[in-house]
Amino acid sequence: MRRWGKWVVPYAALWITMLVGGVLVVLLAVLSAEVYDNVVDDAGLANLDKPTLALMEQLRSPGLDSFVTGFTNIGGGVGMPILASILTAWLIWASRTWRPLILIGAAAAVSTTATTMGKKLIGRNRPDHADAVPPYEDSPSFPSGHTLNTTVVIGLVVYLACLQVQRTIARVALIAAGVIFVAAMGMSRVFLGHHWMTDVIFGWLLGLAWVAIVIMAHRLFHVLRHREHAGPAPTFDNPAHLRDGVGGTASSTGKDRRSGGKDDVGARGPTGGPPAAG
């Protein structure tokens, strides 16, 4: 029963936290649509959305339009699943665990649901086709699905990747690249005239809130899973806590030594590769 509990309790905590958090994020999308409808009126459009769109129109050129269109397609319904699959596969290989698939897959499902519900509830029109770059899009505008889904997927990829590297400069580079990619994806939607600026802002905020909840669930999982035999949850300061008992308690380290290190096999992965920090 004790061994069974070590597996059931942590995963139950992970799924329950993500389930409750996912419901909260969807509710936030619903409430944000209601708040948006009451707050952002014609004056709001004139103060933020329309000036931003007008500025972007001044920056357009045929070559830049084509480049931004190609870039924004990465965050679409075809490009983002492909990119997410490639990055998740790399994280699975690096961490020797399937947990990146669980985290990123479940997170993407919730962000897609929040996007769909938000669009249906608010039904906001996109900028006029005369102000947009083809190919045109006619689905509801609020919130920006490209922005929300990219924020969630890239945010979690950066978090999990930072747990696999130990050099500070590598982590800084990963975080900087993630921030630039997410920011550029959101602004590309405004540049092309496919979304208003407020659509993108709400996408960023909802995405960051959901990423924070998923990270909290992941850390809670590690606290429960490794509390007795492998030390604390992974952090940027302690990403390799499963290697040779580093960061574990004295009792767990002693147990690993007495058993000839057998208890550490699962942490290292079946091939003795990098620790399953993810």
Side-chain angles (χ1 to χ4, degrees):
M1 289 297 296
R2 183 180 178 185
R3 179 178 297 179
W4 178 258
K6 286 183 178 180
W7 285 99
V8 173
V9 173
Y11 276 104
L14 175 67
W15 283 113
I16 291 174
T17 304
M18 292 188 66
L19 178 62
V20 173
V23 172
L24 290 176
V25 168
V26 174
L27 288 177
L28 279 175
V30 173
L31 292 176
S32 66
E34 184 67 23
V35 171
Y36 172 87
D37 193 31
N38 293 329
V39 174
V40 181
D41 51 14
D42 291 338
L45 288 174
N47 290 333
L48 178 61
D49 287 338
K50 290 183 178 179
T52 305
L53 178 60
L55 174 62
M56 293 300 172
E57 287 183 276
Q58 296 176 7
L59 300 176
R60 292 175 187 168
S61 66
L64 187 57
D65 293 352
S66 298
F67 174 80
V68 176
T69 298
F71 173 75
T72 201
N73 287 337
I74 299 175
V78 176
M80 182 49 61
I82 294 175
L83 178 62
S85 298
I86 295 173
L87 295 175
T88 302
W90 174 78
L91 287 170
I92 291 172
W93 175 85
S95 64
R96 302 299 194 271
T97 174
W98 290 100
R99 282 192 286 277
L101 177 61
I102 296 174
L103 294 174
I104 296 175
V110 169
S111 67
T112 301
T113 301
T115 299
T116 302
M117 292 191 66
K119 288 180 179 295
K120 288 184 177 180
L121 285 172
I122 195 65
R124 185 189 190 189
N125 293 326
R126 296 177 185 265
D128 293 336
H129 288 175
D131 299 321
V133 176
Y136 304 117
E137 299 181 22
D138 297 313
S139 60
S141 181
F142 180 90
S144 169
H146 283 63
T147 304
L148 175 55
N149 294 322
T150 298
T151 301
V152 170
V153 171
I154 299 302
L156 289 176
V157 167
V158 168
Y159 164 70
L160 293 172
C162 283
L163 295 178
Q164 299 300 323
V165 298
Q166 297 186 20
R167 297 185 62 183
T168 301
I169 189 172
R171 295 173 188 158
V172 171
L174 284 170
I175 294 172
V179 170
I180 292 173
F181 187 89
V182 170
M185 183 59 66
M187 294 309 300
S188 72
R189 307 303 293 160
V190 183
F191 177 87
L192 295 172
H194 297 326
H195 280 285
W196 302 105
M197 189 66 209
T198 44
D199 302 335
V200 171
I201 292 174
F202 272 89
W204 281 330
L205 294 178
L206 285 174
L208 290 174
W210 180 220
V211 167
I213 292 173
V214 175
I215 291 176
M216 180 182 67
H218 180 239
R219 290 175 60 81
L220 176 61
F221 169 85
H222 276 282
V223 167
L224 297 176
R225 177 71 180 88
H226 304 299
R227 180 174 51 189
E228 297 184 2
H229 58 86
T235 65
F236 289 170
D237 295 329
N238 187 31
H241 67 287
L242 299 180
R243 181 176 297 165
D244 298 329
V246 175
T249 61
S251 60
S252 65
T253 303
K255 181 172 64 175
D256 290 344
R257 289 174 178 172
R258 289 193 300 271
S259 62
K262 293 181 179 179
D263 290 341
D264 196 44
V265 172
R268 287 173 173 268
T271 62

